[in-house]
Each structure stands twice: as C-alpha cells, then as structure tokens.
Amino acid sequence: QVQLVESGGGLVQAGDALRLSCTASGRTLSIYTMGWFRQAPGKEREFVAGISWSGGMTYYADAVKGRFIISRDNAKNTVSLQMNSLKYEDTAVYYCAASLQLASSTARDFGSWGQGTQVTVSS
C-alpha cells in the first residue's frame, strides 16, 4: 500500500552525473528501507543502493560504491540517487522500492515498486 514514482532518468554521456528521485505516498510510515534496483536488457534485476528510512544508514552494491550516493528527505517522502561518473555499464531501467525490513539488498524483501525510469549512458 505504498506507491512509488521515479523521475530523473535520461540520456547522458559517460563521465556525466544524473540524479534520480522517488516520491512515496500511501502508508509511508510503514517503510523501514528504501532502495534502488536496476535491470539492463537481458539481465536480472540487481540491487544498487539502500537506505534506512529513519536512521539514514546507507549501503551499496560493489559496482556503484564510491560513485553513487543514496539519500532521503523524510519530510518530503522522497529518496534520491545521485549517480556520478556514469559508465556505459550503468545503462538500465532504475526502480525505486520500499521494504518493511532493514538492511535488505534482495528484491524479494521489497514489497512496493515504482514503474521504473530509463537511464542510458552513451560511450
């Protein structure tokens, strides 16, 4: 019963930066963790970054560690993903997700999902 809407995707060149945003509505008080996942053509959906809703503890996939930053604004019910030094390999549909569990990086633990936003990085 949490609705999520992503925005901010687009076409950029390698080395550029992009910021994705996700707005949550509905039963937002039930959220323990907000996360970002991505899925490239022909690939499985993979975890990108997560953040605890109350404490702001963050964790990242190795592929994006040091380049991406996840943050949240509880007052605005939003979570963002700042993507720096983008690579061609980052090209994928990015999904925002909400979970009732803490510190999860597995898709099955996230019960609410956004519609996805396309990020394309040219080489």
Side-chain angles (χ1 to χ4, degrees):
Q1 288 128 333
V2 175
Q3 292 78 50
L4 305 173
V5 179
E6 304 100 331
S7 63
L11 174 63
V12 298
Q13 288 189 281
D16 285 353
L18 199 63
R19 181 177 179 271
L20 305 182
S21 295
C22 173
T23 300
S25 61
R27 295 188 180 183
T28 57
L29 293 178
S30 67
I31 298 174
Y32 277 73
T33 302
M34 294 289 288
W36 287 95
F37 291 76
R38 67 186 183 186
Q39 187 167 21
K43 305 292 182 63
E44 287 191 327
R45 188 169 299 185
E46 65 176 347
F47 170 79
V48 176
I51 185 169
S52 62
W53 194 242
S54 60
M57 183 273 293
T58 61
Y59 49 102
Y60 301 87
D62 290 341
V64 306
K65 196 171 299 181
R67 297 189 298 121
F68 291 9
I69 301 173
I70 186 171
S71 61
R72 89 276 195 251
D73 187 333
N74 298 74
K76 297 181 179 180
N77 289 328
T78 59
V79 61
S80 299
L81 184 68
Q82 178 65 45
M83 304 184 292
N84 300 315
S85 301
L86 282 163
K87 304 175 180 179
Y88 174 77
E89 295 77 27
D90 295 319
T91 296
V93 176
Y94 283 71
Y95 297 89
C96 177
S99 175
L100 300 179
Q101 299 182 237
L102 289 171
S104 176
S105 60
T106 57
R108 58 180 171 84
D109 289 334
F110 289 76
S112 300
W113 296 82
Q115 80 288 346
T117 185
Q118 177 70 48
V119 173
T120 303
V121 184
S122 64
S123 59

